[in-house]
Amino acid sequence: MLFEVKNLTKNYNTPAQKFCALNKVNIQAEEGEIIVILGPSGSGKSTFLNIIGGLDTGYEGDVIVGGTNLRTLGNAALCEYRRRNIGFVFQFYNLIPNLTVRENVEVCSDISDKPLNIDEVLAAVGISDKSRSFPKELSGGQQQRVSIARAVVKNPRILLCDEPTGALDYASAKDTLKLLEHVNRQYGTTILIITHNPAIADMADTVITLRSGEITSIRRNAEKKQAEEIEW
Amino acid sequence: MVIHKKLLRGSLSNHLRFIGSILMIAICVCMYTSFASSMWSLFYELQDYRENCNLHDYLLSVSNEIDNADALADQYGIDLECRYYCEISRDDGDVIRLMSANELVDRYVVREGGDLSGEHDLLLDRQYAKANACSIGSDFELNGKTYTVRGYYTEPDFTLITNSVKGISINHASYGIAIASKEAVSSLPQAAVEYLIRCRSDHFAREDFLKDVYASAMVEKLIACESDNRAAYIDGDLKIYTKGMQIIPLFFLIVASFVVALILSKLMKAETVQIGVLYAMGYRPMDLYRHYISYAVVISVCGGLLGIGSGMLLAPVLRSLVTERYSVPPFRISLEPGTAAVSLLIPVCFLVVLCSLFMISRLMQSPLTLLRNQAAERSGFSFRGLAMKGASFTTRFRTREILRNAGRYLFMVFGVSVSAVMLLLFAAVLGSLNKMMDETFSRIVNYEYMYTYADMTTGKPDGYRTNLNYLLLDGEEISVNGVDTHNTHMQFEDTDGNPVTFEDHGITINLSEKFDIHAGDTVTLKSRYTDAEYRIHIDRVIVSYAEDFISMPLDEFNTYFGYPENSYLIVTSDHALEIDPELLLSVSSRKNSRESIDETLKPVRYLMISMMVMAALVSFILMSIIISMILEDSRFTISMLKILGYSDKRISGLLIDFNRYIVILAFAVSIPLILKSSSKIMGYLSEMMGMHIPTYLNPLHAAIGFAMLYLVFIAVKLIMKRKILSIDPAETLKSGE
Ligand SMILES: Nc1ncnc2c1ncn2[C@@H]1O[C@H](COP(=O)(O)OP(=O)(O)OP(=O)(O)O)[C@@H](O)[C@H]1O
Ligand SMILES: [Mg+2]
């Protein structure tokens, strides 16, 4: 078992009111799975992902990843945890504008103790020919590939993707999904994908649906589809 | 690490700020290094020089030779050397002080050419020699006698070549010193004698010694080396240069560090999300701290190295400032490892500390806050609260712009004020010096010639007479002058603004402040050589800039101190008098004095003007950096305005023009500051130079200072207009900021 979430509760205490973003969430996941998280806006998806990723603290319950309870870790230890285990893919790519594609990937491989070969990763995401370009010279889809390459090159155990296709058109979104699937297969990386697109759920091993901070369903796909086959 | 390329490329694309910061640091370090390296080199060489040449501790003027000099020297544990000297006017009006060459105290050093060998040989000081083209080996006429110039020399008790121990005026072209053998000088009929004393230990029974000397010779005065301007005046200047002048660069350095820290924090603000991403990927705060601080380190190291390099280029110029004025060994400028280290460490430390303070607050935020860019939202002032009903669009826009950038504008006001203060301060020093010169030479000094006799004379010459006596006041020697009443050759005013007619007793303002003596007090003066005590009732305080004395009517003076009737030492006249030159110790004319003081003040003036330029330069860099930062922030607004059809002129009017009020505000702030502080600074300067310098800020100088600042602003404005022109709205929109 890769991670286990027990009774996870996250409250935001704003001066106006007490707001419960996650309420007693329990999830278990195996190594190498693709997990898709669905749910309406404001249901707590990002909150959940950020907690798994070691970005958010101040919650109740336990989050145990690879045998470590994240709640017991301090800031520095969380940083180490992220460094070793986590890769992030953001909706708006967030590449560093002053660095070329290759350098953007290098920034991440620099801090890993078991990085993958940069050229190999660039080839895998199909962006080798643009490796000397700057982010502003790329299309959105291409930038998302770089952002995936950047997350993957560290060879993390878990890849966390917060709406990776949210800003992309159909074709680019599909390419991105294929890429994630490829990464999952080739490197055995566990992938969590947040999406508003229910069609994507078909390529997952596990589909989790959240509503108002509570899990409404956890479904295991008996037969998951190839990313290629998904249509929306 | 590859991440550093990020800063490098960022710096290159924002080169104006990057280069500006480096230049600011470089200017400060350059000022610091050039002063430190040249002045400390000089300081150490001067110490060695004085030690090697056995600089005197006391200069003793006597009426004739002391009988038992060798015995006295042994008894009191001192080196005692007799020196013969006289001042000789040459045919062209130049005055040469010819002295006998010393062997024990104040030994001379031949700097060029050969040593003295015969009775007709002479060594000249190089400055006079150069100014009058006296080459080595040439003949030199003095008093109808022909000498041969064997070489050029220096001696440690004449670093400032001037005609009296209180003198500060120099004119290398018309006053020089020379040495010849003891025999040659002692045989001259007008030769006077003085003794140079070097104490071998700390214990010198000075008063006992003087009483013993008194047995065989009249003691005229005993002057400690520290109060001998010819030997020690340079120390005051060195003190200013080695200590004071290093404070100014430090001051600017703080401003520069603030600017760089501001730039850094701005950079980090712009990169908030990137920092969040890097955190999320597992970069540690320390990694990022190191990353951003490297920017500060690069700037400070580049600026430091550039500053050290240019400082070493500037140092010889500063050296010439000293060697022009003073007769000192030809010192070599070396960059001491200490100076180099300090020059580098100071900017690095300042920058690193300040930038760390700025950065840590940003880096402490949680990665999530950074990722969501919540920190980037300006909370600050609530603009909505400001209704500003009825105000024009321009006013509203500008008000918001200022409020939005309040911190930066405040900093700009602060920085420009500092520059303005510097500008005005230097202007005030300049104005005060000029005022002193004008007061002295257009009002106070009203004679054309002043003749000083070697010995007391009696009679009624064609002019006004002054007689002198040196007495101790609280252990310090001061001059008491007997002056002809109604002497119109010296038109002093007292502190109430009344003209001084010398019918009663006066004290100069410097002494009055120093000893806390005021009109109505009675001072008690002691003789140095006898047990006599004199009490003088002071009637008024005299405003005098360069001279210190207690004055009383001449007849009363002669009676009181027991001198023959009508005796005097000095006579001033409005035309040349025919006096046997052999009787005279010195002659000076008003024109010469004025020229020589002008000459003296020249380096100070140049220094002040160059400092004003530096201050203007710093304010230029500061304004450009801050305004360009603000424009950079307003890139989107500018693009929008452009798209809406505003002309470039209107946009720069909205965004830049009001900065003129900041310049005006900064200047207005600086004037009261300067009036308050400059009297302190002038007081400090006065004390160091042994003069009373009035504080005076010439409105013309203030206006020039303001014009300089305003020109700086106009230059900045032109540059920034180009920057606005260069903003391409299409590109801004595409980048989706
Ligand atoms: N810092 C915060 N302070 C207070 N409330 C917050 C904070 N961050 C998130 N929330 C609230 O927590 C809830 C869950 O937010 P979350 O970002 O997890 O939603 P989400 O499911 O990712 O939505 P979306 O699909 O729109 O991204 C939201 O209702 C949000 O208002
Ligand atoms: Mg979300």
Side-chain angles (χ1 to χ4, degrees):
Chain A
M1 190 163 41
L2 178 61
F3 69 81
E4 186 176 15
V5 176
K6 286 192 273 191
N7 283 327
L8 176 61
T9 302
K10 170 84 186 175
N11 291 313
Y12 284 111
N13 295 317
T14 52
Q17 78 210 76
K18 191 174 157 187
F19 182 84
C20 185
L22 289 175
N23 192 6
K24 299 228 164 75
V25 170
N26 287 289
I27 298 173
Q28 296 183 351
E30 296 299 327
E31 187 106 43
E33 277 193 70
I34 294 182
I35 301 161
V36 168
I37 304 175
L38 292 171
S41 192
S43 56
K45 305 183 294 292
S46 297
T47 309
F48 177 72
L49 201 77
N50 290 337
I51 290 175
I52 298 279
L55 285 178
D56 211 347
T57 51
Y59 48 83
E60 289 150 40
D62 295 301
V63 179
I64 297 157
V65 181
T68 324
N69 192 337
L70 295 191
R71 200 156 53 87
T72 62
L73 301 182
N75 278 336
L78 275 177
C79 190
E80 288 309 310
Y81 161 77
R82 288 199 297 270
R83 185 182 266 242
R84 276 174 216 286
N85 301 295
I86 306 293
F88 278 98
V89 177
F90 303 96
Q91 182 177 1
F92 295 109
Y93 338 123
N94 289 329
L95 300 177
I96 295 172
N98 285 332
L99 296 182
T100 63
V101 164
R102 201 193 142 83
E103 285 159 358
N104 260 291
V105 177
E106 238 178 302
V107 162
C108 257
S109 82
D110 265 358
I111 54 167
S112 168
D113 40 14
K114 48 174 182 13
L116 303 176
N117 180 292
I118 296 174
D119 295 310
E120 200 176 284
V121 174
L122 282 175
V125 302
I127 203 89
S128 301
D129 53 330
K130 297 273 185 193
S131 69
R132 288 164 170 280
S133 309
F134 285 94
K136 63 167 185 263
E137 296 157 4
L138 301 181
S139 75
Q142 288 166 330
Q143 288 191 48
Q144 193 59 297
R145 286 159 184 268
V146 179
S147 133
I148 292 174
R150 178 175 68 175
V152 166
V153 76
K154 285 205 308 187
N155 197 6
R157 292 176 83 176
I158 309 175
L159 196 58
L160 302 173
C161 315
D162 198 339
E163 300 183 38
T165 59
L168 300 179
D169 68 3
Y170 174 80
S172 309
K174 205 149 183 186
D175 281 351
T176 304
L177 292 176
K178 278 196 273 183
L179 188 56
L180 288 174
E181 191 176 54
H182 173 74
V183 166
N184 171 258
R185 241 183 253 139
Q186 180 158 353
Y187 305 113
T189 317
T190 309
I191 303 182
L192 262 82
I193 305 172
I194 289 180
T195 179
H196 282 125
N197 185 350
I200 295 177
D202 291 345
M203 65 177 279
D205 295 291
T206 308
V207 183
I208 299 167
T209 314
L210 280 175
R211 172 159 310 194
S212 307
E214 290 178 29
I215 295 185
T216 52
S217 80
I218 300 183
R219 167 165 64 90
R220 287 198 66 83
N221 273 341
E223 216 167 274
K224 67 172 175 178
K225 282 189 190 170
Q226 301 267 308
E228 185 63 57
E229 303 161 349
I230 300 172
E231 296 296 337
W232 65 88
Chain B
M1 285 220 290
V2 62
I3 190 173
H4 292 312
K5 290 194 185 158
K6 176 164 99 68
L7 271 189
L8 183 66
R9 298 218 179 97
S11 314
L12 292 180
S13 64
N14 270 317
H15 55 278
L16 187 65
R17 266 180 251 162
F18 189 64
I19 294 172
S21 315
I22 290 183
L23 276 184
M24 280 233 308
I25 307 284
I27 289 175
C28 305
V29 173
C30 170
M31 293 206 286
Y32 179 85
T33 318
S34 53
F35 272 111
S37 61
S38 57
M39 296 308 151
W40 284 115
S41 311
L42 175 58
F43 183 80
Y44 291 124
E45 293 226 4
L46 195 62
Q47 274 186 340
D48 286 350
Y49 175 50
R50 286 171 168 174
E51 204 45 55
N52 294 339
C53 294
N54 211 16
L55 175 67
H56 69 259
D57 291 316
Y58 293 98
L59 175 68
L60 176 69
S61 298
V62 282
S63 56
N64 50 278
E65 286 166 47
I66 307 171
D67 292 341
N68 47 349
D70 290 345
L72 281 179
D74 285 344
Q75 184 187 341
Y76 286 97
I78 53 177
D79 293 337
L80 188 64
E81 180 158 25
C82 167
R83 173 161 75 187
Y84 300 92
Y85 70 96
C86 53
E87 287 196 344
I88 301 170
S89 293
R90 300 186 73 202
D91 296 341
D92 52 4
D94 294 356
V95 176
I96 296 293
R97 184 186 179 93
L98 181 65
M99 297 176 287
S100 57
N102 289 3
E103 280 141 24
L104 185 58
V105 186
D106 292 332
R107 285 191 289 259
Y108 63 95
V109 180
V110 179
R111 293 292 170 196
E112 231 174 285
D115 204 347
L116 298 170
S117 54
E119 283 238 355
H120 297 280
D121 287 350
L122 188 98
L123 294 177
L124 265 181
D125 81 80
R126 179 214 291 275
Q127 285 160 319
Y128 179 83
K130 288 278 177 244
N132 289 281
C134 308
S135 56
I136 294 172
S138 65
D139 287 349
F140 194 80
E141 294 279 337
L142 262 187
N143 233 3
K145 224 169 133 183
T146 307
Y147 295 86
T148 310
V149 178
R150 280 287 162 220
Y152 307 141
Y153 87 109
T154 64
E155 58 178 278
D157 59 329
F158 270 91
T159 46
L160 182 70
I161 296 179
T162 177
N163 62 358
S164 78
V165 290
K166 287 276 170 212
I168 54 156
S169 54
I170 42 163
N171 191 343
H172 298 312
S174 63
Y175 187 87
I177 58 171
I179 53 171
S181 67
K182 225 161 215 165
E183 296 73 40
V185 184
S186 61
S187 63
L188 294 174
Q190 71 269 50
V193 59
E194 61 189 3
Y195 282 85
L196 301 160
I197 302 168
R198 164 80 175 202
C199 306
R200 288 193 211 124
S201 70
D202 290 342
H203 310 289
F204 171 42
R206 201 172 61 186
E207 307 305 324
D208 293 341
F209 168 77
L210 286 177
K211 280 175 187 149
D212 280 348
V213 170
Y214 209 58
S216 64
M218 267 284 278
V219 174
E220 275 155 18
K221 50 187 162 168
L222 180 79
I223 296 148
C225 187
E226 305 86 72
S227 42
D228 180 351
N229 280 352
R230 297 181 298 202
Y233 193 77
I234 190 172
D235 294 337
D237 272 7
L238 273 181
K239 206 158 127 195
I240 301 183
Y241 291 139
T242 49
K243 303 241 169 65
M245 296 314 277
Q246 288 167 26
I247 293 175
I248 295 166
L250 288 186
F251 211 69
F252 282 139
L253 201 58
I254 296 178
V255 175
S257 308
F258 259 109
V259 171
V260 176
L262 216 65
I263 291 177
L264 257 184
S265 90
K266 153 88 174 82
L267 190 78
M268 292 175 69
K269 194 175 253 171
E271 294 185 354
T272 308
V273 177
Q274 281 181 38
I275 294 174
V277 170
L278 290 171
Y279 269 167
M281 294 191 308
Y283 271 83
R284 305 184 186 103
M286 201 56 204
D287 297 333
L288 292 175
Y289 170 80
R290 243 184 268 136
H291 171 64
Y292 285 100
I293 207 75
S294 68
Y295 184 87
V297 171
V298 166
I299 285 181
S300 51
V301 169
C302 286
L305 290 178
L306 197 66
I308 291 178
S310 52
M312 290 315 285
L313 290 180
L314 190 68
V317 179
L318 291 177
R319 172 178 59 188
S320 69
L321 215 94
V322 175
T323 50
E324 276 278 293
R325 186 158 156 58
Y326 294 106
S327 167
V328 285
F331 64 97
R332 217 164 47 88
I333 296 172
S334 50
L335 183 62
E336 309 258 330
T339 307
V342 169
S343 302
L344 263 184
L345 280 182
I346 287 182
V348 172
C349 291
F350 260 128
L351 235 66
V352 166
V353 167
L354 259 177
C355 292
S356 302
L357 289 179
F358 268 66
M359 281 163 57
I360 284 170
S361 64
R362 309 220 125 243
L363 290 176
M364 290 302 270
Q365 285 159 351
S366 86
L368 268 187
T369 322
L370 293 167
L371 269 174
R372 293 202 183 119
N373 203 4
Q374 283 164 339
E377 280 164 29
R378 285 176 180 279
S379 46
F381 296 89
S382 157
F383 311 135
R384 268 155 273 128
L386 276 164
M388 292 191 290
K389 281 210 184 76
S392 72
F393 166 71
T394 313
T395 319
R396 271 181 297 166
F397 186 92
R398 284 178 180 167
T399 314
R400 292 209 172 141
E401 199 56 34
I402 291 180
L403 287 179
R404 212 158 65 82
N405 292 304
R408 287 180 196 161
Y409 280 116
L410 270 181
F411 180 69
M412 190 154 123
V413 171
F414 167 75
V416 177
S417 303
V418 168
S419 298
V421 164
M422 292 291 157
L423 259 174
L424 285 181
L425 183 66
F426 301 132
V429 173
L430 214 55
S432 302
L433 291 176
N434 285 350
K435 170 119 174 157
M436 183 188 78
M437 289 289 291
D438 280 350
E439 289 266 298
T440 305
F441 288 101
S442 346
R443 186 170 60 81
I444 298 176
V445 172
N446 206 23
Y447 53 79
E448 291 302 328
Y449 296 95
M450 178 159 107
Y451 301 89
T452 308
Y453 282 89
D455 294 306
M456 217 176 265
T457 313
T458 53
K460 288 196 172 169
D462 186 10
Y464 291 105
R465 301 161 297 178
T466 303
N467 205 353
L468 302 177
N469 192 6
Y470 293 95
L471 295 169
L472 295 178
L473 174 58
D474 286 350
E476 195 165 315
E477 192 175 68
I478 61 162
S479 158
V480 180
N481 298 5
V483 187
D484 262 333
T485 48
H486 304 292
N487 181 341
T488 53
H489 285 166
M490 288 184 281
Q491 308 214 322
F492 290 107
E493 282 178 357
D494 65 14
T495 39
D496 299 330
N498 303 316
V500 172
T501 54
F502 301 108
E503 284 166 297
D504 48 17
H505 305 159
I507 187 166
T508 54
I509 188 160
N510 232 2
L511 290 178
S512 145
E513 280 165 7
K514 194 162 164 189
F515 294 102
D516 199 23
I517 297 166
H518 305 283
D521 295 351
T522 299
V523 289
T524 307
L525 302 164
K526 285 197 182 110
S527 163
R528 176 159 253 161
Y529 321 107
T530 64
D531 294 327
E533 252 189 33
Y534 304 94
R535 296 166 71 80
I536 299 173
H537 179 83
I538 299 295
D539 301 300
R540 62 178 77 235
V541 175
I542 300 173
V543 179
S544 153
Y545 302 124
E547 287 172 286
D548 290 332
F549 55 82
I550 289 177
S551 75
M552 55 201 292
L554 182 64
D555 293 337
E556 186 187 340
F557 177 93
N558 285 336
T559 320
Y560 192 43
F561 292 109
Y563 297 126
E565 207 180 327
N566 285 328
S567 51
Y568 64 95
L569 265 172
I570 295 169
V571 59
T572 54
S573 161
D574 46 18
H575 57 270
L577 296 179
E578 295 216 352
I579 300 173
D580 181 0
E582 299 203 343
L583 296 175
L584 290 176
L585 194 61
S586 69
V587 182
S588 65
S589 74
R590 169 159 76 162
K591 193 165 141 283
N592 266 347
S593 310
R594 171 153 209 160
E595 276 171 5
S596 62
I597 294 193
D598 264 333
E599 188 69 23
T600 310
L601 294 178
K602 217 191 222 164
V604 182
R605 291 203 174 112
Y606 285 146
L607 194 69
M608 292 301 134
I609 290 170
S610 54
M611 285 296 170
M612 286 171 78
V613 172
M614 289 268 194
L617 203 62
V618 168
S619 67
F620 171 77
I621 295 175
L622 195 83
M623 278 197 246
S624 352
I625 288 178
I626 294 186
I627 296 183
S628 93
M629 253 159 71
I630 291 170
L631 287 188
E632 195 64 36
D633 261 10
S634 310
R635 192 172 262 275
F636 192 75
T637 316
I638 294 170
S639 300
M640 271 338 227
L641 289 174
K642 279 192 177 180
I643 291 167
L644 290 174
Y646 278 74
S647 68
D648 290 328
K649 202 166 159 230
R650 181 81 203 282
I651 297 174
S652 71
L654 280 173
L655 277 160
I656 305 179
D657 279 359
F658 64 85
N659 283 300
R660 88 162 65 100
Y661 300 113
I662 288 184
V663 175
I664 294 171
L665 177 68
F667 203 77
V669 166
S670 65
I671 285 184
L673 270 179
I674 208 64
L675 289 180
K676 270 224 155 14
S677 63
S678 69
S679 61
K680 281 232 169 63
I681 288 166
M682 292 320 288
Y684 180 66
L685 255 169
S686 299
E687 207 184 298
M688 206 126 59
M689 296 170 82
M691 291 193 251
H692 176 81
I693 305 175
T695 308
Y696 179 65
L697 179 61
N698 187 333
L700 179 70
H701 288 161
I704 292 176
F706 180 71
M708 276 169 91
L709 269 190
Y710 205 79
L711 277 179
V712 162
F713 165 67
I714 289 175
V716 171
K717 193 168 122 175
L718 287 177
I719 295 177
M720 291 306 141
K721 265 201 179 134
R722 280 188 42 207
K723 198 171 162 94
I724 289 185
L725 275 179
S726 76
I727 290 178
D728 178 5
E731 199 170 286
T732 312
L733 290 187
K734 215 172 86 189
S735 77
E737 267 177 42

